[in-house]
Amino acid sequence: MIEREVYDLIVVGGGEGGKTLAMYLAKQGYTVALIERDPEMIGGTCINVACIPTKTLVQSAKVAHMVRRAGEYGVSASLGPLGMRALRERKRAVVGFMREANYKMFTSIPNLEFILGEARFTGDRMVEITLRDGQPRTLAGKHVVINTGARPAAPTIPGLAELEPLTNETIMELDVVPEHLLIIGRGFEGVEFAQMFRRFGSRVTIIQRGAQLLSREDPDVSQAVRQTFEREGIEVRLGAAVERAESAPSGARLHLSSGKFVDGSHILHVTGRTPATAGLNVEANRLALDARGYIPVTETLATAALGVWAVGDVKGGPEFTHTSLDDYRIVKAQITGKGDHTSTAGRILAYAVFTDPELGRVGLSEREARAQGWARPCRPPGREHDWHAASADLR
């Protein structure tokens, strides 16, 4: 018979929703095990490879941009060549500080055991952990929360994988400023890195198959971002699908559906993410992944297995830290029976894109509002793209 250690709550993965739930319930007297596989991911994706490091670099890029423009403000200043290593070290220092702060929190709360190791399910709410020294432990939980997050998706473009394109994570470890950065993808990460590296001194080209940047936004908003980018010297190629990639004297060459090609020194591939469910063996806990590898949940974030929830990116849906934090509130209410925030139904999302100027939105776009019948199509013909007319139509 397997010897099991029993906890009130087991959290697999230390992202925002899971770690916050672990700390809260431990303070309420629940016995909690928080499992993290990678010591360099303590605290979750946001702290280590997403929000914090990218915004640290965004701020460095903004300072460089302002120094270049100092003369416009009557200030005499000059900017020499930027050292990517120095920028990277500052980023690492910020991340390291926050990672250490999270570790201290995890290891100082009574009833909370923080465990570094690889977790996999072996039965109903049973988790086997392979510790860093190779030794196994088997835990059983009254409640289990899966919070393993997501990772950059592997490229599917022929020839691209062989060129080892950068991801939103690996690009922040560069020790040189790219001469010419080619960005494949149109999402938040792509536009943030485009402006950042342009301000670091790179030539930047964004390539995407869609008709507009930031496809979730209204066309006029997307156009405003594009115009800002082009004023800063960023080349934007829309409606241009990348069909294959190969090496070139400059470093890389991307062949486009138009029959043209573009050369660059580095490639950033930001066309999606994939859930970190490989190796979890969720089937042992009577769970099945969906076609994309995500863990299906209900509006209460419950999985098909009794007493098992999934929070954060691993369940699919919008991949924002504050969404994961809201997931924590929902699962907390489910486990404790306290609180009225018990479902994702009607959840209103807010998000920001850290371009300069920033782009933020709460709730529906104009296009979404119209599709749902919340706005009257009363603008005069020929004014479809008039911002003021659009605003006047919204109720």
Side-chain angles (χ1 to χ4, degrees):
M1 182 177 179
I2 300 175
E3 184 178 348
R4 300 177 298 174
E5 303 173 64
V6 181
Y7 291 81
D8 293 322
L9 171 68
I10 298 172
V11 179
V12 182
E16 185 68 29
K19 71 181 183 184
T20 308
L21 181 68
M23 291 187 289
Y24 174 83
L25 290 184
K27 291 176 181 177
Q28 305 308 307
Y30 290 71
T31 56
V32 180
L34 175 59
I35 307 166
E36 174 56 62
R37 65 185 300 181
D38 187 348
E40 294 190 356
M41 287 296 290
I42 293 173
T45 297
C46 176
I47 286 175
N48 293 283
V49 294
C51 324
I52 299 303
T54 56
K55 279 48 181 183
T56 299
L57 291 171
V58 162
Q59 189 63 21
S60 293
K62 188 172 184 178
V63 171
H65 182 63
M66 291 305 296
V67 171
R68 291 192 185 98
R69 297 184 60 199
E72 300 174 28
Y73 297 89
V75 177
S76 178
S78 61
L79 183 69
L82 291 180
M84 199 67 210
R85 290 185 180 181
L87 297 170
R88 182 185 64 186
E89 290 310 308
R90 176 176 179 267
K91 181 268 301 183
R92 285 179 176 177
V94 172
V95 169
F97 173 81
M98 298 198 69
R99 186 187 297 154
E100 180 65 22
N102 273 255
Y103 179 77
K104 288 179 178 178
M105 285 192 298
F106 299 159
T107 56
S108 64
I109 299 174
N111 300 316
L112 173 60
E113 183 180 6
F114 179 64
I115 305 171
L116 279 171
E118 188 86 19
R120 63 187 295 272
F121 287 96
T122 58
D124 291 346
R125 285 168 286 168
M126 288 182 58
V127 177
E128 179 184 83
I129 308 168
T130 303
L131 302 176
R132 301 287 292 175
D133 62 5
Q135 296 299 309
R137 286 179 63 178
T138 299
L139 279 54
K142 181 179 179 182
H143 308 283
V144 174
V145 172
I146 304 172
N147 184 213
T148 51
R151 298 171 179 151
T156 57
I157 298 168
L160 187 57
E162 289 75 11
L163 298 179
E164 299 181 347
L166 298 162
T167 69
N168 65 298
E169 297 178 6
T170 58
I171 193 170
M172 292 186 288
E173 287 299 308
L174 284 177
D175 58 5
V176 296
V177 175
E179 180 179 341
H180 185 184
L181 179 64
L182 308 178
I183 300 177
I184 306 173
R186 61 188 178 186
F188 301 158
E189 296 164 328
V191 296
E192 288 181 357
F193 281 117
Q195 190 176 50
M196 177 197 305
F197 276 90
R198 178 58 183 157
R199 291 179 170 188
F200 286 158
S202 298
R203 179 184 171 192
V204 176
T205 301
I206 300 175
I207 305 163
Q208 66 165 67
R209 66 172 64 244
Q212 69 175 58
L213 284 173
L214 301 172
S215 59
R216 297 182 184 180
E217 305 304 328
D218 291 320
D220 53 353
V221 175
S222 170
Q223 181 64 13
V225 174
R226 179 178 179 176
Q227 289 172 349
T228 297
F229 277 18
E230 290 177 339
R231 282 196 297 268
E232 291 196 25
I234 298 169
E235 182 183 7
V236 180
R237 295 198 181 192
L238 303 177
V242 179
E243 295 193 331
R244 62 185 177 90
E246 63 182 2
S247 61
S250 62
R253 173 170 294 172
L254 300 179
H255 291 268
L256 309 180
S257 54
S258 62
K260 298 179 180 180
F261 64 84
V262 58
D263 288 354
S265 60
H266 295 72
I267 300 172
L268 171 62
H269 182 264
V270 282
T271 56
R273 293 176 67 79
T274 186
T277 49
L280 278 178
N281 192 35
V282 296
E283 296 81 6
N285 200 56
R286 305 182 189 182
L287 289 177
L289 304 176
D290 69 14
R292 298 185 299 157
Y294 290 98
I295 298 176
V297 295
T298 66
E299 291 181 344
T300 64
L301 304 180
T303 70
L306 181 65
V308 180
W309 287 266
V311 301
D313 300 348
V314 75
K315 72 181 189 310
E319 296 182 350
F320 301 119
T321 300
H322 52 277
T323 303
S324 184
L325 184 61
D326 194 56
D327 290 348
Y328 140 74
R329 300 185 184 104
I330 294 169
V331 177
K332 178 185 73 172
Q334 299 295 324
I335 291 177
T336 64
K338 300 176 182 179
D340 55 7
H341 193 58
T342 59
S343 170
T344 60
R347 179 156 68 183
I348 298 175
L349 293 177
Y351 59 84
V353 186
F354 286 81
T355 51
D356 180 20
E358 295 90 348
L359 167 63
R361 177 151 68 84
V362 178
L364 302 177
S365 66
E366 179 190 350
R367 179 171 52 193
E368 291 167 340
R370 290 186 181 282
Q372 295 182 27
W374 291 103
R376 293 183 296 111
C378 63
R379 281 177 290 177
R383 298 184 63 191
E384 286 81 2
H385 302 292
D386 188 297
W387 175 272
H388 299 290
S391 300
D393 288 350
L394 293 175
R395 291 180 180 272

